[in-house]
Amino acid sequence: MLTSHRVEIRDSIASAYDFYEQAYEWGWTDGLPTILPTEERVSAFLAYLKRDPGEIVAEIPPGLGVATVEKIAINAVMAGCRPEYLPVLLAAIEAIMEPQFNLNGVQATTNPAAPLLIINGPCRDQLRLNCGSNALGQGCRANATIGRALRFILVNVGGAVPGSVDKATLGQPGKYTFCLGENEEENPWEPLHVERGFSREQSTVTVVGASGTNNIIVDGQNPETILTVIASSMTSMGSNHLYLEASGEPLVILCPSHAAILNRAGLAKSDVKRVLWERARISLDLFPPGLAKLQRSRGRVVDGKVVLVPKPESLMILVAGGPSGLHSTHVPTFGDTIAVTKVVG
Amino acid sequence: MSESTVFVLDPTSKPKVLGLKLAERPADIRGLTVGFLDSGWWSFGVVLERYRELLAERFGIRAVTYHKKKERPAPKELLDELATKCQIVINGLAN
């Protein structure tokens, strides 16, 4: 039995536009048009899930709105999801609710942080998730609408209304949707979820409190050059990883070509992390005095250089993207957040 | 032609606990003890100093307690201590 407040609207093709106007006025959308969450559509989603609509999945901070299965389904319909995306969305919600993810902070911070969803395992094929060309761009329904549905829930249930509760100074496009699959087939090493203790046969969602993406082109076959350029691109005085006391877990998304070159050079994923960690440093001399003092006070200075994170294991490596081009990506994070992985049930 | 209607469902949700009220505001703050809960941000330090000056100048308040948040959210013990010692608390939330 559905318990959400029912709103009566005109039923016609034209009413989709009217609903958009109304939903926007009520603050139900991300600014883009949405699907009408009719009782019939929501019921169909709930029938797929076979769970009690009233079951409480989470109380989403900072507003602590109650995310029942029904509310999650309504937001998923609005975002344009297919019913079979719901288990991924539920796992993502379970992941962001773990205390180490610090959802309260991610939701309210002035940083542009947004949960980035990384999908691993067999569900990538089943849901036709894009793990290849333009995986972080537009064009794939699963990537687009799973990330969008989570954003709807963060606002409609979690209360993170921009400007009032969500204090992001500028935000970033990933706050509309931010979801991709790992290109496990082109990953020469173990996929992210296997590295994090799951089996290849399990489908998982890993959430990262990501601040955006920073493209890194390294046009060449030399692994030394690739690692040096990526390390340099990760390192900036304006990074939250350096500014906050909690240094977090910067993510590097290697394109298949870069990953293959590094693997052919005999480097394991752990070697890549170690070399990046050794090179992602800024000379203390370059810091303005106040920031130099801050870094010294935190014990982040090693051999006259400020380290991005305290240990190589704090770096995350993913392989995604298409076969063309030599563009990897650095995903800086909010800093005060730790990635969490959950199984898609 | 008559127009049919459909029902859409509200995607928003309220917290379980409603009706939490703000503590009663004192009519006069002279002579009260003020607590500062520092978020650790540089900007809160600036605000804190100005509040400290204004409280002393305008209300003669010199009794202040100061705590810096070492973890977020601030532990319950610290909040209880502030609630016991202070009648007013200025809480730094961010930057």
Side-chain angles (χ1 to χ4, degrees):
Chain A
M1 158 133 173
L2 305 180
T3 56
S4 295
H5 176 62
R6 299 158 83 232
V7 183
E8 190 173 9
I9 58 161
R10 280 195 299 134
D11 182 20
S12 70
I13 301 265
S15 73
Y17 194 88
D18 295 344
F19 175 69
Y20 170 40
E21 295 279 6
Q22 188 62 77
Y24 182 69
E25 190 180 307
W26 285 331
W28 287 2
T29 84
D30 52 8
L32 295 169
T34 79
I35 303 298
L36 280 73
T38 59
E39 289 180 296
E40 292 73 20
R41 284 198 188 99
V42 172
S43 296
F45 272 49
L46 291 167
Y48 175 86
L49 216 47
K50 298 188 182 74
R51 281 170 68 166
D52 173 8
E55 180 189 338
I56 294 173
V57 175
E59 293 167 71
I60 311 280
L64 300 179
V66 178
T68 57
V69 170
E70 178 179 334
K71 290 294 177 190
I72 292 165
I74 297 170
N75 282 282
V77 168
M78 286 181 66
C81 287
R82 293 175 63 89
E84 56 267 34
Y85 302 167
L86 282 170
V88 175
L89 185 57
L90 286 161
I93 292 169
E94 197 188 339
I96 60 173
M97 289 302 294
E98 288 292 344
Q100 64 267 38
F101 184 73
N102 185 16
L103 183 59
N104 211 35
V106 169
Q107 287 266 69
T109 178
T110 50
N111 184 277
L116 163 64
L117 309 184
I118 301 167
I119 319 293
N120 278 99
C123 81
R124 293 168 308 131
D125 281 345
Q126 292 151 11
L127 305 181
R128 297 168 69 189
L129 269 151
N130 186 4
C131 316
S133 299
N134 208 37
L136 275 175
Q138 86 293 357
C140 173
R141 181 173 177 181
N143 297 40
T145 62
I146 293 171
R148 189 186 190 207
L150 183 65
R151 171 55 52 192
F152 279 9
I153 290 161
L154 292 175
V155 176
N156 287 334
V157 181
V161 176
S164 64
V165 172
D166 176 350
K167 291 290 189 186
T169 308
L170 267 174
Q172 49 130 336
K175 295 185 85 163
Y176 282 97
T177 182
F178 214 177
C179 175
L180 84 166
E182 177 160 35
N183 192 339
E184 295 178 24
E185 293 68 23
E186 297 296 329
N187 183 345
W189 307 297
E190 75 279 18
L192 182 72
H193 68 315
V194 174
E195 181 190 347
R196 295 172 72 85
F198 300 89
S199 76
R200 278 183 185 271
E201 293 68 38
Q202 286 178 301
S203 292
T204 63
V205 181
T206 301
V207 292
V208 174
S211 299
T213 61
N214 174 24
N215 187 65
I216 308 166
I217 181 166
V218 198
D219 187 11
Q221 297 290 315
N222 185 330
E224 282 298 311
T225 305
I226 292 170
L227 291 168
T228 298
V229 173
I230 291 176
S232 146
S233 303
M234 295 170 69
T235 321
S236 142
M237 282 188 209
S239 165
N240 258 40
H241 297 291
L242 284 177
Y243 192 64
L244 293 190
E245 199 160 356
S247 50
E249 300 169 317
L251 167 68
V252 174
I253 305 179
L254 291 172
C255 65
S257 298
H258 284 159
I261 293 165
L262 296 173
N263 180 55
R264 278 201 300 271
L267 296 165
K269 201 198 270 190
S270 56
D271 298 325
V272 173
K273 288 187 184 185
R274 181 180 45 76
V275 177
L276 290 177
W277 178 73
E278 286 167 356
R279 296 183 190 180
R281 298 178 184 194
I282 309 178
S283 175
L284 185 66
D285 299 342
L286 295 172
F287 279 78
L291 290 175
K293 187 178 166 194
L294 182 75
Q295 296 301 338
R296 273 196 300 266
S297 74
R298 289 180 178 161
R300 298 275 284 269
V301 183
V302 177
D303 299 331
K305 290 181 177 173
V306 178
V307 295
L308 186 63
V309 286
K311 56 185 194 299
E313 294 75 27
S314 297
L315 299 176
M316 293 178 70
I317 304 277
L318 188 77
V319 177
S324 309
L326 291 147
H327 297 268
S328 290
T329 291
H330 167 224
V331 179
T333 82
F334 171 42
D336 195 358
T337 178
I338 297 295
V340 178
T341 302
K342 293 287 180 184
V343 174
V344 176
Chain B
M1 191 175 78
S2 67
E3 200 167 59
S4 62
T5 60
V6 293
F7 286 96
V8 295
L9 300 174
D10 182 350
T12 67
S13 181
K14 302 244 175 333
K16 264 196 237 169
V17 182
L18 291 173
L20 284 178
K21 284 192 220 154
L22 292 172
E24 205 166 308
R25 270 40 189 160
D28 185 1
I29 66 171
R30 277 165 217 282
L32 302 183
T33 299
V34 177
F36 287 102
L37 194 47
D38 189 342
S39 58
W41 285 94
W42 170 86
S43 50
F44 185 73
V46 175
V47 172
L48 185 153
E49 279 315 308
R50 186 64 182 136
Y51 272 133
R52 201 196 290 267
E53 285 170 17
L54 288 172
L55 287 167
E57 274 172 34
R58 295 190 186 173
F59 304 102
I61 290 177
R62 299 193 191 283
V64 295
T65 66
Y66 171 85
H67 291 278
K68 188 170 179 172
K69 288 182 204 175
K70 293 195 174 64
E71 55 188 297
R72 288 180 298 277
K76 184 176 180 307
E77 299 73 37
L78 175 57
L79 298 180
D80 288 344
E81 185 188 330
L82 282 164
T84 308
K85 284 186 183 168
C86 312
Q87 290 79 51
I88 298 171
V89 175
I90 296 172
N91 181 20
L93 290 176
N95 55 331

